[in-house]
Amino acid sequence: MKYVDLRIHHEAGSLHPMHAFEMRHEEIDRAALLHWNTVLDGTATAGTDSRRSAGTNTMVFRVRGDPEPFRAKLDARAATVEYSLTDAVDGVFYCCVRDRATDADRNYIEAFARGTLVVVPPVEFNPDGTTDLTLVGTPEDVDAAVSGLPDGLRATVRSVGPYRRRAGPMAPRLTDRQRAAVAAAVDCGYYDSPREGTVEDVASELGIAPGTAAEHLRKAEARVMDRLVD
């Protein structure tokens, strides 16, 4: 079994309308898709191919920002069937929304709905318009998904390897180098109190420069702390 961390780049016209809204609105910082379900219940969006679009998506998002602009956007969308928002706590709120699947939704879903593939949450929607996600499956299916994205989507591989790690909403996405640096830091006592190890010890263990080791640790720590407060 293999995993791959991907960053998806969207060409003009391929970005989901809600992601585009989050990018433009100064009161919405970022969002992550935590859970989702697609139901082929015959619900179609007007003007789409009903043979492909009949169905609804139900999704749970974690959003950092003001819920009121998000609420207004959901109210204005023709595809919205129903939704519920929580109050914001420490600048974070949650949204459960059911909407009508469009052709654009289906193209995106079908890109990763093949063979053994599983999308591991969360799916992160970044302020620059890119999307971060993790796929798990057989090497053949993972490779086919990366190379066979639909028009308008392009993938950058952030890390890849055998799937041997914990995953889930609270598991921060670290690159292989960041994870190796953290593991070396734990082993040498860098995170002990009082601190026993040094950045130089981490660098020596990994065979890299101290400055590079420090950068890996800083980036890994930033990811862990960001996930913790969300």
Side-chain angles (χ1 to χ4, degrees):
M1 188 163 56
K2 181 178 181 180
Y3 86 90
V4 61
D5 282 339
L6 296 178
R7 175 156 291 169
I8 306 297
H9 304 262
H10 304 260
E11 295 180 4
S14 68
L15 195 64
H16 192 281
M18 289 303 294
H19 192 178
F21 166 75
E22 294 154 10
M23 287 173 55
R24 293 193 304 265
H25 206 291
E26 62 183 14
E27 295 184 56
I28 303 295
D29 292 336
R30 63 191 307 120
L33 176 59
L34 304 181
H35 310 286
W36 59 90
N37 189 31
T38 298
V39 179
L40 303 179
D41 58 2
T43 305
T45 302
T48 63
D49 183 347
S50 61
R51 292 170 299 176
R52 298 186 71 245
S53 299
T56 56
N57 297 314
T58 301
M59 299 165 285
V60 176
F61 292 92
R62 181 186 65 237
V63 186
R64 179 171 292 279
D66 185 348
E68 293 313 310
F70 206 83
R71 186 192 308 277
K73 180 63 176 178
L74 291 173
D75 285 335
R77 290 184 72 232
T80 302
V81 176
E82 58 184 326
Y83 69 88
S84 177
L85 298 179
T86 69
D87 294 332
V89 177
D90 295 329
V92 175
F93 66 94
Y94 293 82
C95 171
C96 179
V97 58
R98 177 172 174 248
D99 63 18
R100 299 175 183 87
T102 65
D103 285 343
D105 293 330
R106 187 59 59 88
N107 286 339
Y108 202 87
I109 292 170
E110 288 178 351
F112 306 114
R114 65 173 76 201
T116 61
L117 286 187
V118 175
V119 179
V120 180
V123 177
E124 302 278 358
F125 300 103
N126 301 316
D128 63 358
T130 59
T131 303
D132 292 343
L133 57 86
T134 297
L135 297 176
V136 173
T138 62
E140 295 78 11
D141 286 342
V142 168
D143 293 343
V146 173
S147 61
L149 290 176
D151 292 343
L153 301 181
R154 176 176 58 85
T156 297
V157 176
R158 306 175 66 204
S159 64
V160 63
Y163 187 75
R164 294 191 297 261
R165 60 180 185 169
R166 293 174 294 175
M170 288 305 294
R173 289 198 179 102
L174 303 182
T175 67
D176 289 343
R177 291 181 179 181
Q178 290 166 0
R179 191 172 296 276
V182 171
V186 170
D187 288 344
C188 77
Y190 180 78
Y191 291 113
D192 290 354
S193 181
R195 177 170 290 174
E196 298 291 338
T198 66
V199 170
E200 286 74 18
D201 293 331
V202 175
S204 177
E205 175 66 23
L206 299 179
I208 58 178
T212 303
E215 181 180 6
H216 289 332
L217 290 175
R218 282 196 301 270
K219 289 182 177 180
E221 291 161 4
R223 286 177 179 270
V224 171
M225 294 301 105
D226 181 65
R227 182 58 49 80
L228 181 63
V229 298
D230 274 354

